[in-house]
Amino acid sequence: MRVDVVTIFGEYLAPLSLSLIGRARAQGLLDLRVHDLREHTRDRHRTVDDTPYGGGAGLLMKPEPWGEALDAVLADPPPADDGRGPVLLVPSPAGEVFTQAAAVELAAEPWLAFACGRYEGIDARVAEHYRARGVRVREVSLGDYVLNGGEVAVLVVVEAVARLLPGVVGNAASLAEESHAAEHDGLLEHPAYTKPASWRGLDVPAVLSSGDHGAVARWRREEALRRTARRRPDLLARLDPARCSGADLRVLAEEGFAPDGAGGFGPAAPAVAH
Ligand code: 6GU
């Protein structure tokens, strides 16, 4: 996979040379190229920002350096480009929330490009212009909080995507077991334990040492359901009741959830007093 990143803070991306991602780059599985936006300015001060039309606090990134920088990226496709060009990812707190499902989609692409805004973001015409040229532009957010710029989002998205590429993570089965994996219905992962069996007065749940694989699987499923209900009830709205056993339904009912009639689960209607 080829990944181009345009930024004014290339040093921010140094962690992408470490660990599994660094090794994937060294092995040629990931061709990650960082480009300095300021190389595409034409004034003596290498200016990338200016004040917003309409007033307000803060500075916006000017469109001209972005146009030149992104044109240069688009003009240099990787051999694997299918003619559709890259998916252009624009990190922004105003974007769609980045999810594991999006990571899976992006991992199937041969080419991604990132436009990292700083300050209050990038002049809105940049995304509009590349969309009009047929580029698949996706504005993505990490969640409901504000960061200073898109570089941390690049670290997050590249790590989430690259570890799905064949050969990057050693054990492919571990990918399927994780929290948010579709194979586990998008539930949070159950708690996990290793040796010693007793630590500071805390014992590993006995069922995990029972050797009864069916009982272990049922315990893990129940813990995953309870955890998700307590911590991320929003995820239950996307849990298909058709994929739930009677035992699952009982656990969810204990946690206060019932099928919502819309293909998921929601808070159970309170029992009406007679
Ligand atoms: Cl992608 N960018 C910025 N600046 N803030 C964010 C974000 C992205 N995601 C959450 N907050």
Side-chain angles (χ1 to χ4, degrees):
M1 170 181 279
R2 164 85 157 269
V3 175
D4 290 279
V5 184
V6 182
T7 171
I8 58 170
F9 288 126
E11 303 94 316
Y12 231 115
L13 303 173
L16 295 176
S17 296
L18 303 175
S19 188
L20 292 178
I21 304 303
R23 199 186 58 191
R25 292 174 74 181
Q27 291 175 333
L29 300 172
L30 178 65
D31 177 6
L32 186 126
R33 304 180 185 190
V34 178
H35 312 275
D36 183 359
L37 179 69
R38 288 196 204 275
E39 295 293 308
H40 299 277
T41 56
R42 290 163 183 261
D43 65 313
R44 212 158 47 82
H45 300 291
R46 314 225 293 168
T47 309
V48 295
D49 56 342
D50 207 336
T51 53
Y53 276 109
L59 294 170
L60 276 173
M61 294 190 109
K62 298 164 61 60
E64 306 99 310
W66 279 108
E68 304 222 355
L70 294 174
D71 284 353
V73 166
L74 295 175
D76 181 24
D81 179 35
D82 50 13
R84 294 198 299 167
V87 174
L88 177 57
L89 294 150
V90 184
S92 162
E96 49 163 329
V97 175
F98 179 68
T99 61
Q100 186 67 21
V104 169
E105 282 172 31
L106 295 174
E109 295 284 338
W111 189 10
L112 305 178
F114 290 88
C116 286
R118 280 265 144 185
Y119 316 113
E120 302 301 311
I122 303 172
D123 184 300
R125 290 169 295 185
V126 174
E128 182 184 341
H129 169 81
Y130 287 99
R131 276 202 185 99
R133 279 173 54 180
V135 177
R136 294 167 294 159
V137 179
R138 287 179 75 163
E139 297 185 48
V140 291
S141 166
L142 297 185
D144 296 337
Y145 38 80
V146 177
L147 303 171
N148 288 331
E151 287 76 10
V152 169
V154 172
L155 297 178
V156 169
V157 173
V158 169
E159 181 157 322
V161 170
R163 62 195 299 286
L164 299 176
L165 301 177
V168 173
V169 170
N171 182 358
S174 71
L175 293 177
E177 277 180 19
E178 290 162 335
S179 294
H180 303 301
E183 290 80 355
H184 285 242
D185 299 328
L187 299 175
L188 301 185
E189 202 172 354
H190 55 78
Y193 304 86
T194 185
K195 288 173 276 301
S198 186
W199 178 73
R200 297 194 178 182
L202 300 172
D203 294 343
V204 172
V207 61
L208 298 177
S209 310
S210 68
D212 180 342
H213 301 301
V216 169
R218 285 190 298 278
W219 181 87
R220 287 177 169 169
R221 174 79 175 180
E222 177 171 335
E223 291 295 314
L225 288 163
R226 287 198 198 281
R227 239 190 192 183
T228 307
R230 291 175 189 186
R231 298 180 180 178
R232 295 294 307 279
D234 56 302
L235 296 178
L236 293 180
R238 281 172 271 154
L239 175 64
D240 183 358
R243 290 183 58 92
C244 291
S245 66
D248 290 347
L249 295 175
R250 280 193 296 279
V251 170
L252 289 170
E254 280 175 26
E255 297 294 334
F257 288 84
D260 61 9
F265 284 80
V272 180
H274 289 287

